[in-house]
Amino acid sequence: MMDDPLQLFAEAFAADVEEAVSSPDATTLFSGVMFTKTVLERLEEAERLEQAFDLYQEGHTGRAAYRIDGYAIDEERGALELYTTIHTGETPPGRIPMADIRAAYDKALRFARASMEGLADKLEPSNTDASDLARMIEREAERITLIRLVLLTDQLTGPTLPQDGEWAGRFIEHDAFDMMRLHRILGEGETRSDISVDLRQLTGSPLPCLPVKPDAGGYEAYLTVFPGDVLSRIYQRYGVRLLELNVRAFLGIQGRKSVNAELRRTISEQPSMFLAYNNGIVATVDEIEFETDKAGRSMISGLKGLQIVNGGQTTASLHRARFKDGIPLDGVEVPVKIIRVTSGDLGEMVSSVSRAANRQNTVQQADFSANDPFHQEVEALANNCWLESGRGRWFYERARGSYLAAEQKASYRAKDDQAFRSQTPRSRRLSKLDLARYLNTWTGLPYRVCLGGQKNFQYFMQRQKDQPPPPPDEAWFRRLIAIALLYRAAERIIRQMVFPAFRAQIVAYLVAGLSYRTGGRLDFEGIWRRQSITAELEELIRAWAPGIDEALRTTAGQRNPGEWFKREECWTAVREQLPSLYDPLPPELASMAMTSAPGEAGAKAAGQSVLSVEDLERIRRCMEIDSATWLQAAEVGQRTKVIHWKTAGILRTLAGYAAGRWEKQPSVRQAKPALEALQTVRTSGILNQGSGDD
């Protein structure tokens, strides 16, 4: 039926894929490859996947064929995820034969086997994404305890998948995102996937419990105890999906005083005391299944829709001890409180439980990201900042799925649908992950961006709280969009240049390198007005890209490149090998507003200055000097009359800029005399040579 929601979703999804393929910027003519890329991107935005990459590779090992369409590696869980795609382009979606599903899984697993047996040495050329992945799998083979095979398809898989099993001492899991599940997640906006835990199967018998049913409150509660091994195995299977309603990520176990280090010590040295020392976990369920023992007591046999809302640290620490550190969990018992909401809002209950129960490490307001005031302000700015033409604006997706919801609402009337697509096309949709990616890159954190969307976003939000920036205003929003347009242009250009590997990392480091070379200054207003970068800046990106690729590979040396790019030391090393700027500069670099710092209301109306490469180099050198050095030079230089009092005032101004993390940046007329004055003070010998760096 034409009004069937699943069919409408499938048709819209297929149209999006074909539109992407036919785009002038498309890097593939194959709908199946674009389907994989689109699904992985949207599932990451929906927080279903993390650091998932599309990668099509097929071939033969002996007489048997292998094929993958994407991958992800979770080092914390020792898990390798391989994605395989069945794409037909047919609507409405139909059922895929089980034989085809099994064949797809078998080919993906065969790639993992071949990789562990030296496939990388047989691939030509030897420096592609596929060869790097195969080499990584071979190198990490002993640490991989789980291989998760995930089918992506625009059709339907049916209610059952092949049974999970084992291979060479590793768990083999099967999962699938078919069109029905994609519709539930991306179309209807589900907050979590169905998680079904069979406790009888995991433990050999149901678990005894103490039921508590308050007269008021709209919930039921059950107190029980999970064996530590059972909890770790549940996490091994479902990973971060168990924590989708948890407000915090796993904090790690580094540091002798950390909570998780104490957990690990108890697990390894006093497992029988874990129940006494640990507060346990709080979980919510959609459904809970019971059995009755011979004495008529209730026993929990199954849980559906399980979510750990407090105790993520405990759960992840147990999993790490068991599967990464090899510590047996015999004797470890974990107290568990299970809540089933019978009336009211589950999300509200979870938020209240999280705020009240997370006392081990304080829950920051930034953790509740969608409702964070910062994101509400950005959403308001997006709604009110219209393009120069007055006929369009950007859409900030503060809440997951809000763009799709708005799009569907507009589709009910042809006039509204046309207006929505014209004013806020998908190309002008901006997610929270996008915002964190663009701003962290521009502020010199490309290694954080390389951690993946979720981890980068978590760091961004924590940084927002630790070092609150000025409130965003319209100038700030226009600057954000200008950076977004630059970043997306770089992505398009890098895709077109067909680098064999690490395209996403090249983009992040290239954009960060441009920011570093220019001191973070750019004609943001000009980019906003055009809604694009100039051909000259595109040419500069093309000229820089091979140099950035070479710098990344050179600095990696014999290290694992994918892991090296996530380290601050990588950014430090790459900065020393950045390509140079050259005259004439692109208009965005040569002609910019004299006042272009974020949050300055006068940016749009400020005068223009034409800059040279030498000007930008001076600005960059100024921004490498810390606040204390500028301030000391001003005080000592003025007191000894080595510099004029007006020049000392410029140095004090730059000291203030440095203290504010260079949210305001030096102008050309400030940079030159400031550097000359600093050099004069240093030459005179009255300034501590070790107090700064120019």
Side-chain angles (χ1 to χ4, degrees):
M1 296 176 61
M2 286 303 295
D3 58 351
D4 176 46
L6 175 61
Q7 180 174 338
L8 291 174
F9 175 81
E11 291 174 349
F13 203 99
D16 289 343
V17 170
E18 291 305 319
E19 181 181 350
V21 170
S22 60
S23 167
D25 298 333
T27 57
T28 178
L29 300 177
F30 300 102
S31 298
V33 175
M34 187 61 73
F35 173 81
T36 302
K37 179 179 177 63
T38 303
V39 170
L40 293 180
E41 286 179 349
R42 295 192 185 179
L43 287 177
E44 181 171 3
E45 288 177 0
E47 301 178 15
R48 283 299 189 280
L49 302 176
E50 185 174 337
Q51 282 192 280
F53 301 96
D54 60 295
L55 171 59
Y56 174 76
Q57 180 68 25
E58 66 175 340
H60 287 79
T61 173
R63 295 184 177 181
Y66 63 78
R67 168 179 164 169
I68 60 168
D69 292 86
Y71 72 95
I73 294 181
D74 187 336
E75 295 180 1
E76 189 63 46
R77 298 170 60 212
L80 168 67
E81 294 188 356
L82 295 175
Y83 303 105
T84 179
T85 296
I86 298 178
H87 178 264
T88 69
E90 298 176 358
T91 56
R95 183 69 57 84
I96 305 173
M98 178 58 75
D100 293 350
I101 295 175
R102 290 184 184 277
Y105 283 134
D106 289 345
K107 289 180 180 180
L109 181 58
R110 209 168 284 131
F111 177 85
R113 290 175 174 173
S115 296
M116 293 179 185
E117 296 170 357
L119 176 64
D121 296 330
K122 303 173 185 177
L123 293 175
E124 292 293 340
S126 60
N127 62 339
T128 63
D129 282 338
S131 61
D132 284 335
L133 173 61
R135 201 169 288 113
M136 183 187 301
I137 293 173
E138 182 180 5
R139 184 171 52 246
E140 301 293 326
E142 292 185 1
R143 299 175 56 193
I144 295 175
T145 59
L146 168 67
I147 298 177
R148 185 165 173 258
L149 307 174
V150 184
L151 173 66
L152 311 176
T153 179
D154 61 347
Q155 301 302 299
L156 305 176
T157 61
T160 59
L161 295 174
Q163 287 189 346
D164 297 340
E166 287 191 17
W167 169 71
R170 301 173 179 87
F171 296 105
I172 305 297
E173 292 184 357
H174 301 87
D175 198 2
F177 290 92
D178 65 355
M179 193 50 60
M180 182 173 291
R181 189 177 180 194
L182 290 173
H183 178 229
R184 288 202 310 267
I185 296 170
L186 304 175
E188 297 176 348
E190 278 190 341
T191 58
R192 63 193 178 280
S193 301
D194 292 333
I195 295 176
S196 180
V197 177
D198 188 336
L199 291 173
R200 172 178 282 280
Q201 182 184 42
L202 286 172
T203 65
S205 63
L207 298 179
C209 69
L210 175 64
V212 181
K213 299 183 179 181
D215 294 333
Y219 70 94
E220 300 172 350
Y222 303 88
L223 306 180
T224 187
V225 175
F226 274 25
D229 185 64
V230 167
L231 190 57
S232 69
R233 287 165 63 190
I234 294 173
Y235 186 78
Q236 174 74 7
R237 177 173 181 80
Y238 294 107
V240 294
R241 292 167 60 200
L242 282 174
L243 311 177
E244 287 172 358
L245 298 183
N246 195 323
V247 298
R248 298 182 301 164
F250 180 48
L251 302 179
I253 63 169
Q254 301 302 319
R256 296 176 58 187
K257 296 183 179 180
S258 75
V259 172
N260 298 317
E262 191 64 36
L263 283 173
R264 187 183 187 279
R265 195 157 33 247
T266 303
I267 293 167
S268 61
E269 299 174 7
Q270 296 178 288
S272 62
M273 299 304 295
F274 195 89
L275 181 67
Y277 293 165
N278 189 263
N279 291 332
I281 68 174
V282 180
T284 62
V285 294
D286 294 334
E287 297 179 27
I288 185 166
E289 299 173 353
F290 297 98
E291 293 183 12
T292 304
D293 67 3
K294 295 180 180 179
R297 294 172 298 189
S298 293
M299 310 278 284
I300 300 176
S301 60
L303 305 169
K304 292 186 177 180
L306 175 66
Q307 288 285 286
I308 296 173
V309 297
N310 175 249
Q313 310 305 305
T314 296
T315 304
S317 294
L318 286 168
H319 174 269
R320 179 178 180 133
R322 168 67 178 84
F323 288 96
K324 187 170 185 178
D325 300 332
I327 301 174
L329 300 181
D330 302 337
V332 174
E333 302 285 343
V334 185
V336 180
K337 177 168 63 178
I338 301 173
I339 298 173
R340 188 178 79 86
V341 176
T342 56
S343 63
D345 184 84
L346 175 62
E348 205 172 298
M349 170 70 81
V350 169
S351 179
S352 299
V353 170
S354 298
R355 293 176 189 274
N358 277 294
R359 297 303 186 208
Q360 295 167 333
N361 297 87
T362 305
V363 178
Q364 311 295 353
Q365 181 64 35
D367 293 328
F368 302 89
S369 58
N371 294 319
D372 187 274
F374 169 77
H375 294 288
Q376 292 178 341
E377 291 171 355
V378 176
E379 182 182 48
L381 287 168
N383 291 337
N384 293 302
C385 284
W386 291 80
L387 305 186
E388 293 293 308
S389 65
R391 291 194 289 268
R393 55 190 172 88
W394 283 70
F395 188 103
Y396 184 62
E397 196 169 37
R398 175 177 64 85
R400 189 192 324 160
S402 59
Y403 181 89
L404 186 60
E407 186 179 49
Q408 290 180 338
K409 181 179 179 182
S411 68
Y412 296 147
R413 295 177 57 186
K415 184 178 180 181
D416 292 343
D417 184 48
Q418 183 178 5
F420 182 85
R421 291 179 180 275
S422 172
Q423 293 175 2
T424 52
R426 285 186 179 272
S427 60
R428 289 203 291 267
R429 181 174 68 94
L430 189 72
S431 71
K432 297 194 298 293
L433 298 185
D434 291 333
L435 178 145
R437 181 183 304 118
Y438 303 149
L439 293 185
N440 272 356
T441 299
W442 194 252
T443 52
L445 299 169
Y447 54 95
R448 294 286 183 183
V449 174
C450 290
L451 289 171
Q454 291 302 318
K455 290 181 180 178
N456 178 62
F457 177 75
Q458 290 164 5
Y459 177 82
F460 174 81
M461 289 305 300
Q462 189 59 48
R463 191 164 178 252
Q464 288 284 110
K465 183 188 182 302
D466 294 342
Q467 300 174 320
D473 57 13
E474 288 193 10
W476 178 93
F477 183 76
R478 293 192 297 268
R479 175 178 179 268
L480 166 65
I481 297 305
I483 296 170
L485 291 165
L486 169 62
Y487 198 101
R488 292 181 179 186
E491 287 181 312
R492 169 174 52 80
I493 293 167
I494 299 303
R495 286 198 303 268
Q496 291 172 342
M497 296 180 73
V498 195
F499 284 93
F502 307 121
R503 291 184 292 273
Q505 292 89 339
I506 293 172
V507 171
Y509 276 85
L510 190 152
V511 174
L514 277 174
S515 177
Y516 177 76
R517 278 281 188 244
T518 62
R521 298 177 69 93
L522 203 65
D523 183 11
F524 301 116
E525 293 294 333
I527 297 176
W528 164 264
R529 287 192 296 273
R530 290 188 303 271
Q531 287 295 294
S532 65
I533 64 174
T534 62
E536 292 87 343
L537 185 52
E538 287 195 4
E539 187 57 38
L540 177 64
I541 291 172
R542 289 189 182 91
W544 269 39
I548 297 295
D549 179 50
E550 178 65 22
L552 287 170
R553 292 183 178 276
T554 301
T555 58
Q558 298 302 312
R559 304 178 184 91
N560 177 352
E563 293 307 307
W564 169 244
F565 302 153
K566 300 173 186 176
R567 296 171 55 182
E568 185 174 3
E569 296 91 330
C570 175
W571 172 231
T572 301
V574 169
R575 281 205 310 263
E576 299 300 319
Q577 299 185 31
L578 285 176
S580 299
L581 294 172
Y582 49 84
D583 288 318
L585 289 169
E588 292 91 337
L589 277 60
S591 177
M592 62 186 68
M594 292 297 296
T595 304
S596 59
E600 293 188 7
K604 187 175 180 180
Q608 296 290 313
S609 173
V610 177
L611 307 185
S612 66
V613 171
E614 188 178 10
D615 292 328
L616 291 178
E617 179 62 16
R618 290 194 188 103
I619 292 170
R620 182 190 65 78
R621 289 172 58 201
C622 283
M623 294 175 67
E624 289 186 337
I625 300 168
D626 59 46
S627 178
T629 300
W630 284 122
L631 193 59
Q632 184 184 10
E635 298 297 332
V636 175
Q638 183 176 352
R639 187 173 66 247
T640 59
K641 298 184 179 180
V642 171
I643 60 175
H644 193 273
W645 64 269
K646 289 185 178 180
T647 305
I650 295 176
L651 269 57
R652 291 190 182 94
T653 298
L654 296 191
Y657 289 176
R661 294 190 300 158
W662 298 107
E663 291 289 347
K664 294 183 179 180
Q665 298 147 3
S667 67
V668 176
R669 285 180 289 185
Q670 290 172 323
K672 184 176 180 180
L675 289 173
E676 290 174 349
L678 181 60
Q679 184 61 33
T680 299
V681 173
R682 282 179 166 169
T683 302
S684 69
I686 61 176
L687 182 68
N688 179 7
Q689 294 290 333
S691 62
D693 179 23
D694 64 356

